[in-house]
Amino acid sequence: MDDFHKTRRLPPYVFEQVNRLKAKARAGGADIIDMGMGNPDLPTPKHIVEKLTETVQNPRTHRYSASKGIPGLRRAQAAYYGRRFGVKLDPEAQVVATLGSKEGFANMAQAITAPGDVVLVPNPSYPIHAFGFLMAGGALRSIPAEPGPEVFEALERAVIHSIPKPIAVVLCYPANPTAYCADLEFYRDVVAFARKHEIFVLSDLAYSEIYFGDTPPPSILQVPGAMDVAVEFTSLSKTFSMPGWRMGFAVGNARLIGALARVKSYLDYGAFTPIQVAASAALNGPEDCIVEMRETYRKRRDVLVDAFARAGWAIPAPEASMFAWAPIPEQFQKFGSLEFSKLLIEKADLAVAPGIGFGEHGEGFVRIGLVENEQRIRQAARNLRRFFETSSIGHNSGTE
């Protein structure tokens, strides 16, 4: 495998080291509390499952589906954008259904990247944001993950010094893994920059419905002129607890959407039709399940921040997303995020994601997913307290 050009461009998958240790611990009988992967544990709402089971009874739905998504599903996504963001989309030219936002990003990279093309990617960031372009033959240049003046300073430097000039910039807010949030003013500045320099913007909005304040995260497509340069990716995985269903969308600039649709037409026949029909029912259906999901994650966030602080680990409360971006406690910083993550499995029966797996600027942090119930989060805190109190490293950690 190491001899193949594309796999050679990929760095070692650091999460695999944690996963192997986790599997070994479980095989030995350990009760590992797994908060490492962003894998929603909440059940898919009943009305969506019922639509799937109803549709799958029709043998005609077992045939090949539509690569870009069945018309009803694309209309449902366009209607969602109209309700939620006030953005008007043409379901035929500006909406493509994807096999989750991850596949959408990877195939967009295949569609628009020539060998050596430069793409600007936040660091730290969700791995596919970077490695989708690496596998497509592109070159990466990092920009800060936190929205602010430093982002635009980095963008300006990239335009001046990158040869060739960057073709695209990736954004992700609410951010995975950092939980940073962007406002509409930030997006306005990004769109103005992108239009001025003729650069595309690829926005990942997978966590649009998981927010804990009064202001819902905006879409970049709300900015006038954004449709000239931007495509946005969304997913039903988190919004409706449908991660294994693999259903997402790319919407926006018709030229980019057309390129993505063309690549996909060669690579897949789209998701299983009953899944697409059920996804349409999700988007067109009641939203009380979204409110309930959001409240569940908010309660888990509050329990995590409170219980871990009592155990001796102060973690900033995220404003959105299903993750906490947690600085490694001072007494363990010398280990780095990967070794600290391994220590937590061995000594506290707790699995988290090492920050280094999201880019070199993720070092010094771990990502903690809100994917265990409140009781299990409190158990994790008790495990942590015991570890901190008995560890020779963490003996003077300030635990209560």
Side-chain angles (χ1 to χ4, degrees):
M1 288 288 286
D2 289 343
D3 295 331
F4 298 126
H5 171 68
K6 289 193 176 180
T7 55
R8 199 165 56 237
R9 299 197 81 198
L10 297 174
Y13 194 60
V14 298
F15 302 117
E16 188 54 38
Q17 296 185 45
V18 176
N19 291 340
R20 279 199 302 269
L21 201 60
K22 184 171 60 181
K24 182 180 178 182
R26 281 179 169 156
D31 177 22
I32 300 296
I33 300 170
D34 192 352
M35 304 176 77
M37 187 177 178
N39 194 3
D41 63 314
L42 303 175
T44 305
K46 187 178 177 183
H47 68 281
I48 302 172
V49 177
E50 287 175 347
K51 178 54 74 172
L52 173 73
T53 55
E54 171 196 323
T55 309
V56 81
Q57 302 303 320
N58 181 352
R60 289 187 61 81
T61 65
H62 297 194
R63 304 171 76 178
Y64 289 130
S65 193
S67 174
K68 65 186 288 187
I70 60 176
L73 178 58
R74 286 183 278 116
R75 287 195 297 269
Q77 175 69 350
Y80 162 75
Y81 258 77
R83 290 191 311 271
R84 172 71 163 78
F85 303 111
V87 171
K88 182 175 174 56
L89 294 169
D90 176 357
E92 189 59 35
Q94 295 177 312
V95 180
V96 165
T98 63
L99 305 178
S101 59
K102 190 173 185 178
E103 176 268 319
F105 250 97
N107 279 330
M108 180 64 82
Q110 293 292 335
I112 70 173
T113 310
D117 276 348
V118 176
V119 178
L120 310 178
V121 182
N123 190 335
S125 188
Y126 185 52
I128 196 63
H129 295 156
F131 299 131
F133 288 97
L134 267 186
M135 285 188 281
L140 304 179
R141 187 174 179 126
S142 293
I143 62 172
E146 186 172 7
E150 296 81 6
V151 170
F152 295 100
E153 292 167 10
L155 292 177
E156 292 283 0
R157 286 196 303 270
V159 168
I160 294 169
H161 298 296
S162 296
I163 299 175
K165 186 190 76 175
I167 63 163
V169 57
V170 175
L171 301 176
C172 176
Y173 302 108
N176 177 6
T178 60
Y180 292 138
C181 295
D183 58 21
L184 212 47
E185 200 56 45
F186 175 81
Y187 283 142
R188 285 193 186 99
D189 292 341
V190 170
V191 168
F193 181 91
R195 294 182 74 190
K196 176 182 176 182
H197 295 285
E198 298 182 326
I199 294 173
F200 290 120
V201 183
L202 306 177
S203 167
D204 187 342
L205 194 61
Y207 298 92
S208 60
E209 301 305 335
I210 307 180
Y211 57 91
F212 309 123
D214 297 329
T215 306
S219 160
I220 193 170
L221 298 178
Q222 291 174 245
V223 176
M227 211 68 78
D228 296 338
V229 293
V231 162
E232 193 154 67
F233 297 83
T234 57
S235 167
L236 301 193
S237 296
K238 279 73 180 180
T239 303
F240 294 101
S241 294
M242 297 168 63
W245 299 53
R246 307 314 302 133
M247 182 53 60
F249 299 91
V251 306
N253 178 269
R255 181 183 168 206
L256 290 176
I257 293 297
L260 174 60
R262 186 172 182 187
V263 165
K264 281 178 60 63
S265 71
Y266 282 91
L267 297 179
D268 69 69
Y269 286 107
F272 187 36
T273 296
I275 290 178
Q276 296 196 49
V277 173
S280 305
L283 289 166
N284 292 330
E287 297 188 359
D288 54 335
C289 56
I290 301 177
V291 175
E292 186 177 328
M293 171 273 301
R294 187 183 301 134
E295 181 62 14
T296 297
Y297 284 125
R298 186 192 65 77
K299 288 178 179 176
R300 290 180 178 183
R301 177 203 67 168
D302 292 347
V303 168
L304 175 83
V305 171
D306 177 65
F308 278 39
R310 291 174 182 274
W313 189 357
I315 295 175
E319 295 177 30
S321 86
M322 59 188 293
F323 303 112
W325 186 236
I328 298 174
E330 185 177 354
Q331 68 273 23
F332 295 100
Q333 286 175 4
K334 63 183 179 182
F335 288 95
S337 60
L338 180 56
E339 292 306 315
F340 178 63
S341 298
K342 292 178 180 179
L343 262 181
L344 290 183
I345 292 175
E346 293 172 348
K347 306 296 186 183
D349 290 342
L350 172 63
V352 299
I356 191 65
F358 302 97
E360 67 268 29
H361 294 299
E363 187 53 276
F365 293 80
V366 297
R367 190 192 71 177
I368 304 175
L370 304 174
V371 292
E372 293 273 11
N373 64 37
E374 294 171 39
Q375 179 181 345
R376 296 279 283 172
I377 293 172
R378 291 190 177 96
Q379 178 61 51
R382 289 193 291 271
N383 293 355
L384 280 169
R385 178 192 287 247
R386 279 196 297 272
F387 168 43
F388 290 162
E389 288 177 346
T390 58
S391 168
S392 58
I393 310 161
H395 191 66
N396 298 317
S397 60
T399 52
E400 294 178 10

